[in-house]
Amino acid sequence: MVFGNRGDDSGTGVAFTRDPANGDKVAYGDYLPNAQGEDVVAGIRNTLLLAELERLDPTSYLGLREVMDTLEGHYRDMCDIEFTIEKGKLWILQTRIGKRTAFAEWVMAHDMLDEGLIDEDTALLRVDANRLEELFKRRVKADAAEPIAKGLNASPGAASGEVVFTADDAEARAKEGARVLLVRRETTPDDYHGMIASQGILTSAGGTNSHAAVVARGEGIPAVCGADAIKIDLASRSFSANGATVKEGEVVTIDGFTGNVFVGELPLQDSVLEKARSGDEGAREERIWKAFERLMAHADTRRRLRVRANADTPDQSTNARERGAEGIGLCRTEHMFLGEERVESVRQMIFAETTEQEQAAYDVLLPLQREDFVGIFRAMSGLPVTVRLLDPPLHEFLPNQVELAVEVALGQERGEDVSEQRRVLQKVNELHETNPMLGLRGVRLGIVKPGLYAMQVRAICEAAARVKREGGDPKVEIMIPLVATKPELEQVLAELEPVAAQVLESEGVELEHLEWGTMIELPRAAVTAGEIAEVSEFFSFGTNDLTQTAFGFSRDDIGKFVGLYEERRLVPANPFVTVDLPGVGRLMRIAVEQGKASNPDLHLGICGEHGGDPASVVFCHELGLDYVSCSPFRVETARLAAGQAAVGSSESASK
């Protein structure tokens, strides 16, 4: 036992061999004269900066610096050291690898690589892929603020804005120059124009793969979903949560990293990597960008997994390619129907009572889809683009059933003509399903409405032909969603392949790369993958729906209890964030083994949002998939995780 409280020539302190906040190679820490160690950590006395020790006791300070160099050289990492000085003699009590910020870990890894302290593989493993998005997004600075509600961290980043409750109000206020935050129970395709006009999105229902979450991630908008403590009262234009009431126009702040919701405008910390990428560099941004580029380049040389992006528009595709995406693993054609004009065209198709009326709706939709595909194929020329034909149930393109029924009832009370609303409500009631995620959607919709999928294939092939004639190199992969049986896929392909052939023949174009495949997102598809692979050229795991159907969880309702499940360790992690290895992972393994055995040329990927989760990327590497696909803003995270998976697996093999 040694004592630091034996006079002015004694003391105690904590030292880091480098600055844990910014990574600088300088001694950093606290010193407290005439005190014991617990006095430092208890915070009951004001400490001195470690540099003050050099003035008070130069000999002990010099000895401490020598020890710091020795320990860092031995552990080849930044060390956290506790020490005591007793009557002028230095004692080292303990050391451990020190914790550091996300910024500092990149700078330290880069600097230690420069110094020859570590090699490139070690430097790559020193950075945490889970924290990379912290450097690309704004964060809340005020850690001491108390949230009024907590939801799911659906899309990373922090945002503040005036509360609005409708998409139209969000768009209108944003055009006036206001920074708005859209608050809804849940969002629909009707809300798209307001969502992209908002600084952030907050919903009281839904999960990490709800409509709001998927759109927000694709557009890079912070979002918190499933904050069920929030009760929205549209009549009073306000919401309440845990005793607090927030009226329309008041400012709130959301943290898409933690899921917290705060009243008022909290200070936000800018994204250092986005500033560096845009060329707005100070010394701080220049340091992190240099480290980022060097380690990411090494990750790319080491990884086996390719990284694609989930992108639905030309702008998203361009953004994804700039971030290093090697193609599109999921182009959701339903997102091309977002926006008032396009939703109206879809509704014309839904309300069609004759074949002629339905075809007229397709004739309106086809050029809209074709132009989107032209832009995407141009942006991704030379890289594969997997286009998923329409997947969601048709009711998602119609007004909310309850809200519309209330509107009709109130209109009748006021004596208004509600015949049109009543007609829409009748169709909404016809299409209503108890569990729409298991109803008339995906391939089932394509079988019931063959003209819909035929229109989409025609639009895809006409767009590819135009880009090819322009000198581009479109690589097209058409994906049929929600297939459960081989006959389903056979029947749809028998109808669609002739459509593609006829278009290309009439256009006078040949595509070197045109493949047909399916999503594996149902347990039955996974365990019968060998049969399905006989008629499929590729599989893409839709892990969002595969998780939903394997667990029997609704991804829109899981927000109500997933926190409790994680707290009680009923699940190791939110299964919609990280692949559940014993269940969903096992189904994927079965599908890979059976599919490859049946069709050795089958190529395999994953397009659920798990494709951007580092732990899930490691599993995909071990499983032998060819690529992962994620939202454009998670491409760098996936690239880094794929590189780390390759380095980690080679290290394990050598051991």
Side-chain angles (χ1 to χ4, degrees):
M1 189 70 184
V2 291
F3 299 90
N5 55 355
R6 296 187 65 182
D8 291 340
D9 59 352
S10 302
T12 188
V14 175
F16 293 84
T17 58
R18 304 192 185 213
D19 189 325
N22 60 28
D24 286 348
K25 191 178 181 181
V26 296
Y28 177 93
D30 298 306
Y31 179 67
L32 197 55
N34 195 20
Q36 285 291 81
E38 59 266 23
D39 297 334
V40 176
V41 296
I44 57 177
R45 290 173 57 184
N46 291 330
T47 60
L48 304 176
L49 293 176
L50 186 64
E52 283 293 295
L53 178 60
E54 184 176 14
R55 180 181 60 81
L56 297 171
D57 187 348
T59 303
S60 294
Y61 180 78
L62 181 61
L64 177 62
R65 291 300 306 267
E66 290 175 353
V67 168
M68 292 167 73
D69 290 342
T70 300
L71 288 173
E72 188 173 274
H74 175 76
Y75 288 106
R76 300 179 183 275
D77 205 347
M78 189 257 296
C79 293
D80 171 354
I81 302 164
E82 294 183 18
F83 67 93
T84 290
I85 299 172
E86 184 184 55
K87 305 299 288 184
K89 183 173 182 180
L90 174 67
W91 298 86
I92 304 301
L93 306 184
Q94 69 172 9
T95 189
R96 58 195 164 201
I97 302 302
K99 291 181 171 59
R100 63 210 74 180
T101 64
F103 181 97
E105 71 185 9
W106 282 84
V107 172
M108 285 185 198
H110 177 270
D111 289 353
M112 289 181 183
L113 177 58
D114 265 354
E115 295 161 19
L117 202 60
I118 57 177
D119 61 22
E120 286 186 306
D121 282 355
T122 303
L124 184 61
L125 294 175
R126 284 282 171 86
V127 294
D128 186 352
N130 285 293
R131 302 173 74 187
L132 179 56
E133 285 185 272
E134 293 182 25
L135 301 175
F136 275 110
K137 297 287 185 178
R138 291 191 298 176
R139 292 187 62 84
V140 173
K141 275 186 179 178
D143 296 332
E146 283 295 322
I148 60 167
K150 184 177 178 65
L152 297 173
N153 49 341
S155 183
S160 298
E162 299 175 11
V163 169
V164 293
F165 293 101
T166 70
D168 289 343
D169 287 343
E171 183 179 50
R173 291 288 294 129
K175 285 180 178 178
E176 294 170 1
R179 295 166 63 251
V180 299
L181 198 140
L182 180 62
V183 181
R184 301 279 287 161
R185 182 183 184 279
E186 56 190 354
T187 62
T188 70
D190 275 348
D191 296 319
Y192 179 73
H193 61 292
M195 296 169 74
I196 61 174
S198 303
Q199 300 294 312
I201 299 165
L202 170 62
T203 69
S204 60
T208 52
N209 289 301
S210 63
H211 177 269
V214 171
V215 171
R217 282 194 295 267
E219 298 290 344
I221 303 169
V224 171
C225 296
D228 59 353
I230 288 176
K231 310 300 179 189
I232 299 173
D233 184 355
L234 292 178
S236 65
R237 312 290 283 186
S238 67
F239 75 81
S240 60
N242 296 316
T245 299
V246 179
K247 296 181 179 179
E248 185 173 57
E250 294 182 352
V251 175
V252 297
T253 299
I254 61 170
D255 187 341
F257 287 108
T258 64
N260 287 328
V261 182
F262 305 91
V263 173
E265 183 168 356
L266 271 61
L268 304 181
Q269 181 175 318
D270 286 336
S271 154
V272 291
L273 281 178
E274 285 296 355
K275 285 180 69 177
R277 188 195 293 278
S278 66
D280 183 17
E281 294 184 9
R284 183 169 180 259
E285 287 77 25
E286 186 178 0
R287 291 179 70 203
I288 189 68
W289 186 251
K290 184 178 179 182
F292 173 77
E293 285 197 309
R294 183 174 182 181
L295 296 184
M296 288 300 295
H298 185 60
D300 287 337
T301 63
R302 295 289 269 131
R303 64 185 167 91
R304 179 191 57 76
L305 274 173
R306 302 296 90 195
V307 176
R308 301 190 193 181
N310 298 345
D312 316 313
T313 67
D315 287 346
Q316 289 179 4
S317 302
T318 300
N319 179 30
R321 189 158 191 166
E322 290 172 352
R323 293 176 180 274
E326 298 159 301
I328 292 177
L330 177 63
C331 175
R332 293 160 289 215
T333 53
E334 63 270 16
H335 285 185
M336 296 177 176
F337 296 145
L338 299 175
E340 188 174 347
E341 176 191 354
R342 299 188 178 204
V343 169
E344 185 57 37
S345 298
V346 177
R347 288 178 181 173
Q348 290 177 16
M349 179 265 290
I350 294 172
F351 285 111
E353 296 179 355
T354 66
T355 304
E356 291 74 21
Q357 289 175 338
E358 189 172 312
Q359 186 57 50
Y362 294 145
D363 291 342
V364 173
L365 289 170
L366 189 144
L368 297 174
Q369 291 242 285
R370 182 176 57 222
E371 291 308 306
D372 283 338
F373 289 131
V374 166
I376 290 170
F377 291 142
R378 284 173 179 163
M380 284 291 168
S381 180
L383 298 175
V385 176
T386 303
V387 181
R388 182 180 72 185
L389 302 185
L390 194 68
D391 181 43
L394 292 179
H395 85 273
E396 288 197 4
F397 297 98
L398 296 175
N400 178 273
Q401 184 185 35
V402 174
E403 291 179 3
L404 186 58
V406 171
E407 182 183 333
V408 169
L410 292 176
Q412 287 176 327
E413 283 184 9
R414 293 190 293 264
E416 298 171 354
D417 179 10
V418 292
S419 55
E420 177 59 24
Q421 291 96 318
R422 193 182 291 116
R423 184 178 78 91
V424 175
L425 179 60
Q426 181 181 348
K427 197 66 178 181
V428 170
N429 290 334
E430 288 175 12
L431 292 173
H432 177 72
E433 297 177 348
T434 303
N435 189 340
M437 302 312 295
L438 298 177
L440 182 59
R441 54 170 286 221
V443 67
R444 306 158 193 168
L445 187 60
I447 290 172
V448 172
K449 286 186 171 290
L452 175 60
Y453 274 11
M455 177 274 292
Q456 291 194 296
V457 168
R458 182 173 295 279
I460 292 167
C461 292
E462 288 179 358
R466 184 195 301 181
V467 173
K468 181 70 181 291
R469 284 197 301 270
E470 293 172 352
D473 181 19
K475 296 183 180 298
V476 183
E477 298 173 358
I478 300 176
M479 184 161 66
I480 315 299
L482 213 73
V483 165
T485 70
K486 176 184 175 182
E488 281 180 320
L489 185 57
E490 281 182 312
Q491 179 175 325
V492 171
L493 292 181
E495 295 171 353
L496 297 181
E497 286 179 325
V499 174
Q502 184 272 323
V503 170
L504 295 176
E505 182 180 358
S506 65
E507 296 279 349
V509 168
E510 289 186 12
L511 296 181
E512 287 76 19
H513 188 99
L514 173 58
E515 295 187 352
W516 302 82
T518 186
M519 294 183 80
I520 302 295
E521 50 189 333
L522 296 172
R524 190 187 190 284
V527 298
T528 61
E531 297 177 10
I532 296 173
E534 294 173 4
V535 293
S536 184
E537 294 175 276
F538 66 87
F539 284 168
S540 181
F541 288 99
T543 46
N544 302 341
D545 271 336
L546 189 56
T547 299
Q548 187 167 234
T549 50
F551 271 99
F553 287 159
S554 165
R555 66 189 184 198
D556 291 322
D557 297 325
I558 192 175
K560 298 174 183 176
F561 60 85
V562 70
L564 183 64
Y565 263 53
E566 291 183 82
E567 179 184 326
R568 296 186 179 180
R569 300 187 183 278
L570 302 177
V571 291
N574 183 337
F576 288 102
V577 174
T578 299
V579 170
D580 163 62
L581 299 187
V584 176
R586 177 60 181 147
L587 288 170
M588 293 172 67
R589 192 175 296 278
I590 290 170
V592 169
E593 292 170 354
Q594 289 194 11
K596 278 290 192 181
S598 175
N599 179 1
D601 295 327
L602 187 74
H603 67 263
L604 303 158
I606 176 177
C607 62
E609 276 300 315
H610 297 88
D613 169 63
S616 301
V617 171
V618 172
F619 173 65
C620 292
H621 170 86
E622 295 169 350
L623 198 56
L625 301 191
D626 298 304
Y627 69 86
V628 297
S629 189
C630 57
S631 70
F633 294 93
R634 301 185 81 186
V635 165
E636 289 99 342
T637 296
R639 287 167 52 202
L640 176 60
Q644 291 176 330
V647 170
S649 64
S650 61
E651 279 193 351
S652 299
S654 65
K655 289 177 182 178

